[in-house]
Amino acid sequence: MDRTVAIDVSRLCKTYDTHKAVDDLSFQVYAGEIFGLLGPNGAGKSTTLRTLITLLHPTSGTATIMGYDSVREADKVRTVIGYVPQERAIDRFLTGREHLQLLGALYHLSKEEATKRIRELLTLVELEAHADRPAKTYSGGMKRKLDIACGLLPDPKILFLDEPTLGLDVQSRLRIWEYVRMLKARGMTVVMTTNYLDEADQLCDRLAIIDGGKIKTMGSPVELKIALGGDIVSLTLKELDRIPALETELKRQPAITSVRTTTKGLDIRVESPEKALPTILESANRLNCSVEFIQYNRPRLDDVFIAHTGRAITESIPEAESA
Amino acid sequence: MEHYWQEISALTMRWVRRLSREKFSMLFTLVQPMLFWLIFFGNLFQRAADTQVMQAPNYISFLAAGVVVMTVLNNGLAGGVDLLFDKENGFLERLMSTPIHRTSVILSRFIFVMAITSMQVLVILGVSYLFGVEPATGILGVAMILVIGMMFGVGLTAISMAMAFSVKSHGDFFSVLGFLSLPMIFLSSALVPLTAMPGWMSFLAQFNPMTWAIDAVRPLILSGWSEALPHVGMVIIVMLIFDALCLYGGAKAFRRAMG
Ligand SMILES: Nc1ncnc2c1ncn2[C@@H]1O[C@H](COP(=O)(O)OP(=O)(O)OP(=O)(O)O)[C@@H](O)[C@H]1O
Ligand SMILES: [Mg+2]
């Protein structure tokens, strides 16, 4: 792949009053890739994105987009990007077509050029039939599609998507994933945020897991999973009170990398399941733990997330941290 | 420059379209409540008002100037509301992420609010005419009234937009609005001349730019150029200062909100 740097973020910080929403982020996005920012609510994803699209000035640090500084050359940056905000930024009284016409004028397209692109985009997002209805009559999914069409109107070099599939049904999500892949195939660079693990896993070429305004880890989904070191054997035990004893026992075994208690048993990380499985079962037998269920998994992105943030993405942020 | 114009006309068109889609609110905008003030208040107080004190042939002709300026006040103070909603639902962010001149959105709003206000002022003068109030200074006087209205409106709209950019919630916005508008009206010469006010009220009313606007519009309607000109000269100076202050404040609020 072409490794031209499209976005270069260096030591970026953004503080609201006293709260550090983004804390010393550094990363690069390569041209032509789909880059994801994965994190729970309040992690600082939208704040990072808003800085990149010149709507926020960093408190310190810099961001360069296609070689242009996000503060000093904001005008230039705005000509190479498209943006799809997290909220449905729709004017209820305008029709879909009028949204696109308005943006066409704001991107200084000529009438003919705008008309042509609007027609293409409406076809792409399958809104031709509804293009002349006021947006207040649109469903949530249709609004999202219009949002995306608006982001694509300038035919940007880099498209920024803030939680593109939040609140959509499964079908619409899959459609949007398809669009994004197609845009990538056309050579567009895509930067997106998400708090869906499957989305990050399936769609992103590389991703940064951020939490509390900091990058916890970064890489391709596969690299991140491999970096965890090994596969996972999940045990479900009949007698929950035996869990701690078994945990202590297993932690002593060399074939086992790490052990974590879950609600019904243990998640055991192993280098090679062939060597570890007998050991695990033998230990369980010795301690009289009856195993109800045993499952063997390659690591999922969930596990990557837990390993780097200490909790599942669905668990809310502890009060002390979010305050 | 060509780009700038393209942006501003497209953004202004959007405000026009929005208004035309809201049939109900368009009705209320055009046949707006100020007209009722003129018709009902004007006729209701006809007998109660002392034409000696008013220095006018009847109350409605006295009130016309007040209602014209009240229209400017209401439109101006409400001028930022749509930007407030745009800010809250993220539309403003979408607009500002495009390569437009940073002032285009605001300028389009000024143009729209001023255009609507002018139309309403003309409607009010038209209705007054039906009640027998004929502007003493003729068409030129009406043009002068519009100029004064615009000058006052620009400052008010700037205040409203500054508030829209600075408030945390739109509840705050509407409370401040309600808090501002009534005292502005009562502490002005809109409903009674300063000479008929209690001393403390007429004292405060002198510092209200609205009083200056009304005091210039009223002789344009009632008396004629010779009486109006000194007031017109004065109000232009007052409004230049008022606008400069408001635009300065507005620009600061905008810069703070937009980074
Ligand atoms: N305008 C603002 N003023 C003050 N604090 C803010 C502002 N915007 C965001 N924050 C705070 O900054 C932190 C990061 O917010 P941000 O919107 O970037 O999170 P996010 O990762 O996009 O979350 P979500 O998944 O909920 O969209 C949060 O703690 C939020 O409360
Ligand atoms: Mg967000």
Side-chain angles (χ1 to χ4, degrees), chain A residues 50 55 57 78-79 83 85 87-91 93-94 98-99 102-103 105-109 147 150, chain B residues 3 6-7 10-11 14 17-18 21-22 89-91 93-100 102 258-259:
Chain A
R50 284 202 181 97
L55 292 180
H57 285 187
R78 291 182 198 117
T79 61
Y83 172 47
E87 315 86 23
R88 309 281 182 278
I90 297 283
D91 184 331
F93 295 103
L94 297 188
E98 284 165 351
H99 275 86
L102 172 63
L103 287 168
L106 303 188
Y107 283 104
H108 313 124
L109 303 182
D147 260 339
C150 289
Chain B
H3 284 174
Q6 187 182 16
E7 294 158 9
L11 289 164
R14 169 175 172 236
R17 283 217 175 99
R18 276 174 66 100
R21 296 284 148 76
E22 293 176 278
N89 78 10
F91 203 83
E93 204 164 72
R94 156 159 283 153
L95 297 179
M96 296 312 270
S97 75
T98 68
I100 55 173
R102 299 294 96 184
M258 292 292 128

Side-chain angles (χ1 to χ4, degrees), chain A residues 134-147:
Chain A
K136 65 178 164 193
T137 65
Y138 285 13
S139 71
M142 288 157 75
K143 285 183 189 157
R144 202 60 186 155
K145 288 177 177 177
L146 176 57
D147 260 339

Side-chain angles (χ1 to χ4, degrees), chain A:
Chain A
M1 198 204 276
D2 178 7
R3 297 269 92 174
T4 323
V5 174
I7 300 180
D8 192 358
V9 176
S10 166
R11 313 218 58 177
L12 187 76
C13 297
K14 178 69 197 179
T15 311
Y16 291 114
D17 302 326
T18 57
H19 174 72
K20 273 201 163 170
V22 170
D23 190 1
D24 202 12
L25 290 196
S26 298
F27 61 87
Q28 295 185 324
V29 177
Y30 299 115
E33 74 174 349
I34 303 176
F35 186 86
L37 291 168
L38 172 68
N41 293 138
K45 304 182 297 294
S46 299
T47 305
T48 308
L49 222 58
R50 284 202 181 97
T51 316
L52 298 183
I53 60 169
T54 75
L55 292 180
L56 287 178
H57 285 187
T59 310
S60 65
T62 57
T64 319
I65 293 90
M66 304 297 287
Y68 301 124
D69 184 86
S70 76
V71 179
R72 276 182 293 108
E73 296 165 296
D75 290 341
K76 297 260 179 46
V77 174
R78 291 182 198 117
T79 61
V80 295
I81 60 165
Y83 172 47
V84 179
Q86 179 172 352
E87 315 86 23
R88 309 281 182 278
I90 297 283
D91 184 331
R92 310 171 58 240
F93 295 103
L94 297 188
T95 68
R97 194 186 306 280
E98 284 165 351
H99 275 86
L100 296 168
Q101 284 167 344
L102 172 63
L103 287 168
L106 303 188
Y107 283 104
H108 313 124
L109 303 182
S110 68
K111 265 246 162 54
E112 303 76 54
E113 174 91 48
T115 314
K116 186 169 139 268
R117 269 203 221 164
I118 290 169
R119 199 177 326 112
E120 283 170 14
L121 282 174
L122 287 171
T123 317
L124 178 75
V125 299
E126 299 164 308
L127 278 179
E128 308 108 307
H130 314 286
D132 297 304
R133 266 165 45 190
K136 65 178 164 193
T137 65
Y138 285 13
S139 71
M142 288 157 75
K143 285 183 189 157
R144 202 60 186 155
K145 288 177 177 177
L146 176 57
D147 260 339
I148 291 180
C150 289
L152 288 174
L153 187 81
D155 193 18
K157 294 219 166 39
I158 308 179
L159 181 67
F160 291 89
L161 298 166
D162 201 350
E163 314 231 3
T165 65
L166 190 70
L168 294 188
D169 63 23
V170 179
Q171 274 176 337
S172 308
R173 289 185 73 195
L174 293 179
R175 289 295 327 218
I176 287 177
W177 291 5
E178 259 174 55
Y179 294 152
V180 174
R181 290 200 186 99
M182 185 205 64
L183 295 172
K184 178 192 149 153
R186 285 198 197 169
M188 201 176 283
T189 307
V190 178
V191 178
M192 57 182 284
T193 73
T194 182
N195 57 38
Y196 295 125
L197 290 156
D198 56 338
E199 186 162 285
D201 199 359
Q202 306 229 1
L203 203 52
C204 298
D205 296 315
R206 287 193 318 130
L207 54 94
I209 292 182
I210 73 172
D211 190 22
K214 287 195 163 73
I215 292 188
K216 298 292 178 177
T217 183
M218 189 157 47
S220 73
V222 176
E223 280 166 10
L224 292 178
K225 287 182 237 177
I226 290 175
L228 283 187
D231 302 356
I232 293 177
V233 177
S234 299
L235 293 185
T236 308
L237 297 183
K238 278 221 179 72
E239 298 94 355
L240 299 183
D241 53 329
R242 306 247 166 99
I243 293 176
L246 184 58
E247 184 182 3
T248 343
E249 171 65 22
L250 288 175
K251 274 187 173 157
R252 257 187 263 134
Q253 306 290 341
I256 284 160
T257 321
S258 73
V259 184
R260 201 174 73 92
T261 13
T262 61
T263 45
K264 282 177 291 175
L266 292 171
D267 274 357
I268 304 148
R269 197 171 295 286
V270 300
E271 288 287 357
S272 114
E274 300 79 36
K275 277 189 227 148
L277 266 177
T279 323
I280 293 170
L281 294 177
E282 195 200 315
S283 306
N285 259 335
R286 196 146 24 84
L287 293 173
N288 267 330
C289 302
S290 22
V291 175
E292 191 168 75
F293 191 67
I294 183 162
Q295 196 182 11
Y296 160 72
N297 281 321
R298 317 226 64 137
R300 292 155 303 165
L301 205 54
D302 306 49
D303 305 310
V304 176
F305 191 86
I306 292 169
H308 288 283
T309 66
R311 65 195 145 84
I313 196 162
T314 44
E315 290 168 19
S316 59
I317 312 165
E319 277 308 310
E321 257 182 72
S322 65

Side-chain angles (χ1 to χ4, degrees), chain B residues 18-28:
Chain B
R18 276 174 66 100
L19 183 66
S20 69
R21 296 284 148 76
E22 293 176 278
K23 293 277 165 356
F24 198 66
S25 104
M26 183 159 81
L27 191 76
F28 275 87

Side-chain angles (χ1 to χ4, degrees), chain B residues 32 35 51 69 94 97 122 165-166 195 202 224 226 240 254 257:
Chain B
Q32 50 110 16
L35 209 51
T51 47
V69 178
R94 156 159 283 153
S97 75
L122 291 176
F165 287 123
S166 349
T195 48
S202 69
S226 57
L240 284 177
F254 179 69

